[in-house]
Amino acid sequence: MKLVTRAQLGWPASAAPSQASTRGVKIHYEGTIVSTKLLTDHGLCLARWKAIRASHLANKTENYSDVAYNYAACPHGYLLEGRGLGKRTGANGNQSLNQAHYAIVGLVGSSGLTQPTNAMLSAIRDGIELLRKHGAGNEIKGHRDGFATACPGTPLYAWVQKGAPRPTATTLPTEDNVPLTDADLTKIADRVLKHDGVIKVPGAASSNPTWTLSSVQTEILTRLDKANASIAALSTANSKLVDAVAKLAADVGDLDPAAIVAELTRAIESVEVRLDVTDA
Ligand SMILES: [Zn+2]
Ligand SMILES: [Zn+2]
């Protein structure tokens, strides 16, 4: 679970009323336009969650004590803390509905970004399981259950009706451990399809105008083998150098200055002796 706490958001403890247990959790969406830019910028998710809280606090009609939801879930799989655990939601429509279920909102809307990513569904599931450990019953419902609203929108409601299952494939880990979103995968698939399954590598155009997926894979493996061989050779050279330095250090340690002077003196004398011989 990738939880972003209130403290991390810079928020004080929630002033919402306590609600120690409920029959379960209700799922919501934003019901407005949500920018698809959220998909590629998690900073925008945090900014949006802060903006939602600010708008709720500014709402004089509802007179909210805090953001209305217990948690939010973003397209990148983060569970963003709202009122949090043990707090009554203000999102379900009226007092009795708020007492009956906690509330989690998916950061999708009625236009723009409307499809929850698998990572978002996983984060909502994380929120449901977290709330279940702290007083929530087993019910999973949509805002529209028992209240006249389109919330949580068609895609989320269809998922709720299936029992809100955790998606099997959420994210593929990448080198820097940034989760690959569904949108990323769609983009990659689009690019491959546009080139009829062939990836064109501009830098390699003259010698090898087209690369297929398998030839790219082979090339990468070949380069990895070469890199590994270079690393092995460097490692061998390095250990030889270490041995040589160690031997040199030991040799120097064995010698004392007097012995060196004596040795040099003997050498000089022997040269003189030979010179004498030559002169004679
Ligand atoms: Zn709702
Ligand atoms: Zn995000």
Side-chain angles (χ1 to χ4, degrees), residues 27-29 69 91 143 149 151-152:
I27 308 305
H28 297 255
Y29 78 156
Y69 309 102
H143 188 184
T149 173
C151 184

PDB file of all heavy atoms in Angstrom, residues 27-29 69 91 143 149 151-152, ligand 1:
ATOM      1  N   ILE A  27     -18.108   3.969  -2.653  1.00  0.00           N
ATOM      2  CA  ILE A  27     -17.126   4.467  -3.611  1.00  0.00           C
ATOM      3  C   ILE A  27     -17.705   5.673  -4.354  1.00  0.00           C
ATOM      4  O   ILE A  27     -18.884   5.676  -4.712  1.00  0.00           O
ATOM      5  CB  ILE A  27     -16.732   3.353  -4.621  1.00  0.00           C
ATOM      6  CG1 ILE A  27     -16.304   2.081  -3.874  1.00  0.00           C
ATOM      7  CG2 ILE A  27     -15.626   3.834  -5.555  1.00  0.00           C
ATOM      8  CD1 ILE A  27     -15.190   2.266  -2.860  1.00  0.00           C
ATOM      9  N   HIS A  28     -16.856   6.659  -4.585  1.00  0.00           N
ATOM     10  CA  HIS A  28     -17.261   7.909  -5.235  1.00  0.00           C
ATOM     11  C   HIS A  28     -16.318   8.249  -6.388  1.00  0.00           C
ATOM     12  O   HIS A  28     -15.219   7.717  -6.478  1.00  0.00           O
ATOM     13  CB  HIS A  28     -17.199   9.066  -4.227  1.00  0.00           C
ATOM     14  CG  HIS A  28     -18.138   8.918  -3.080  1.00  0.00           C
ATOM     15  ND1 HIS A  28     -19.305   9.639  -2.967  1.00  0.00           N
ATOM     16  CD2 HIS A  28     -18.091   8.116  -1.973  1.00  0.00           C
ATOM     17  CE1 HIS A  28     -19.933   9.302  -1.838  1.00  0.00           C
ATOM     18  NE2 HIS A  28     -19.213   8.379  -1.220  1.00  0.00           N
ATOM     19  N   TYR A  29     -16.782   9.150  -7.240  1.00  0.00           N
ATOM     20  CA  TYR A  29     -15.884   9.802  -8.204  1.00  0.00           C
ATOM     21  C   TYR A  29     -16.100  11.298  -8.050  1.00  0.00           C
ATOM     22  O   TYR A  29     -16.879  11.747  -7.193  1.00  0.00           O
ATOM     23  CB  TYR A  29     -16.107   9.299  -9.627  1.00  0.00           C
ATOM     24  CG  TYR A  29     -17.305   9.825 -10.392  1.00  0.00           C
ATOM     25  CD1 TYR A  29     -17.317   9.816 -11.783  1.00  0.00           C
ATOM     26  CD2 TYR A  29     -18.446  10.329  -9.736  1.00  0.00           C
ATOM     27  CE1 TYR A  29     -18.408  10.272 -12.498  1.00  0.00           C
ATOM     28  CE2 TYR A  29     -19.540  10.785 -10.463  1.00  0.00           C
ATOM     29  CZ  TYR A  29     -19.512  10.756 -11.832  1.00  0.00           C
ATOM     30  OH  TYR A  29     -20.576  11.211 -12.544  1.00  0.00           O
ATOM     31  N   TYR A  69     -14.286  12.979   2.196  1.00  0.00           N
ATOM     32  CA  TYR A  69     -13.998  11.549   2.039  1.00  0.00           C
ATOM     33  C   TYR A  69     -12.999  11.040   3.083  1.00  0.00           C
ATOM     34  O   TYR A  69     -12.163  11.794   3.572  1.00  0.00           O
ATOM     35  CB  TYR A  69     -13.409  11.284   0.649  1.00  0.00           C
ATOM     36  CG  TYR A  69     -14.231  11.872  -0.481  1.00  0.00           C
ATOM     37  CD1 TYR A  69     -13.837  13.058  -1.104  1.00  0.00           C
ATOM     38  CD2 TYR A  69     -15.399  11.249  -0.913  1.00  0.00           C
ATOM     39  CE1 TYR A  69     -14.583  13.605  -2.137  1.00  0.00           C
ATOM     40  CE2 TYR A  69     -16.154  11.790  -1.951  1.00  0.00           C
ATOM     41  CZ  TYR A  69     -15.745  12.970  -2.562  1.00  0.00           C
ATOM     42  OH  TYR A  69     -16.475  13.511  -3.576  1.00  0.00           O
ATOM     43  N   ALA A  91     -19.665  12.498   2.732  1.00  0.00           N
ATOM     44  CA  ALA A  91     -19.824  12.413   1.274  1.00  0.00           C
ATOM     45  C   ALA A  91     -21.044  11.649   0.806  1.00  0.00           C
ATOM     46  O   ALA A  91     -21.397  11.702  -0.367  1.00  0.00           O
ATOM     47  CB  ALA A  91     -18.570  11.770   0.663  1.00  0.00           C
ATOM     48  N   HIS A 143     -21.952   5.458  -4.326  1.00  0.00           N
ATOM     49  CA  HIS A 143     -22.713   6.588  -3.789  1.00  0.00           C
ATOM     50  C   HIS A 143     -24.180   6.514  -4.231  1.00  0.00           C
ATOM     51  O   HIS A 143     -25.094   6.846  -3.500  1.00  0.00           O
ATOM     52  CB  HIS A 143     -22.056   7.887  -4.283  1.00  0.00           C
ATOM     53  CG  HIS A 143     -22.610   9.138  -3.678  1.00  0.00           C
ATOM     54  ND1 HIS A 143     -22.186  10.383  -4.076  1.00  0.00           N
ATOM     55  CD2 HIS A 143     -23.543   9.361  -2.723  1.00  0.00           C
ATOM     56  CE1 HIS A 143     -22.841  11.305  -3.371  1.00  0.00           C
ATOM     57  NE2 HIS A 143     -23.669  10.710  -2.557  1.00  0.00           N
ATOM     58  N   THR A 149     -27.895   9.991  -7.509  1.00  0.00           N
ATOM     59  CA  THR A 149     -26.686  10.593  -8.083  1.00  0.00           C
ATOM     60  C   THR A 149     -26.101   9.644  -9.116  1.00  0.00           C
ATOM     61  O   THR A 149     -26.362   8.428  -9.061  1.00  0.00           O
ATOM     62  CB  THR A 149     -25.624  10.864  -6.989  1.00  0.00           C
ATOM     63  OG1 THR A 149     -24.405  11.287  -7.620  1.00  0.00           O
ATOM     64  CG2 THR A 149     -25.326   9.632  -6.170  1.00  0.00           C
ATOM     65  N   CYS A 151     -22.930   9.314  -9.328  1.00  0.00           N
ATOM     66  CA  CYS A 151     -21.688   8.902  -8.666  1.00  0.00           C
ATOM     67  C   CYS A 151     -21.755   7.423  -8.274  1.00  0.00           C
ATOM     68  O   CYS A 151     -22.792   6.994  -7.768  1.00  0.00           O
ATOM     69  CB  CYS A 151     -21.477   9.776  -7.422  1.00  0.00           C
ATOM     70  SG  CYS A 151     -19.925   9.467  -6.564  1.00  0.00           S
ATOM     71  N   PRO A 152     -20.737   6.617  -8.485  1.00  0.00           N
ATOM     72  CA  PRO A 152     -19.351   6.960  -8.858  1.00  0.00           C
ATOM     73  C   PRO A 152     -19.042   6.866 -10.349  1.00  0.00           C
ATOM     74  O   PRO A 152     -17.883   6.635 -10.697  1.00  0.00           O
ATOM     75  CB  PRO A 152     -18.553   5.913  -8.082  1.00  0.00           C
ATOM     76  CG  PRO A 152     -19.419   4.687  -8.166  1.00  0.00           C
ATOM     77  CD  PRO A 152     -20.841   5.190  -8.133  1.00  0.00           C
TER      78      PRO A 152
HETATM   79 ZN    ZN B   1     -20.217  10.558  -4.565  1.00  0.00          ZN
END
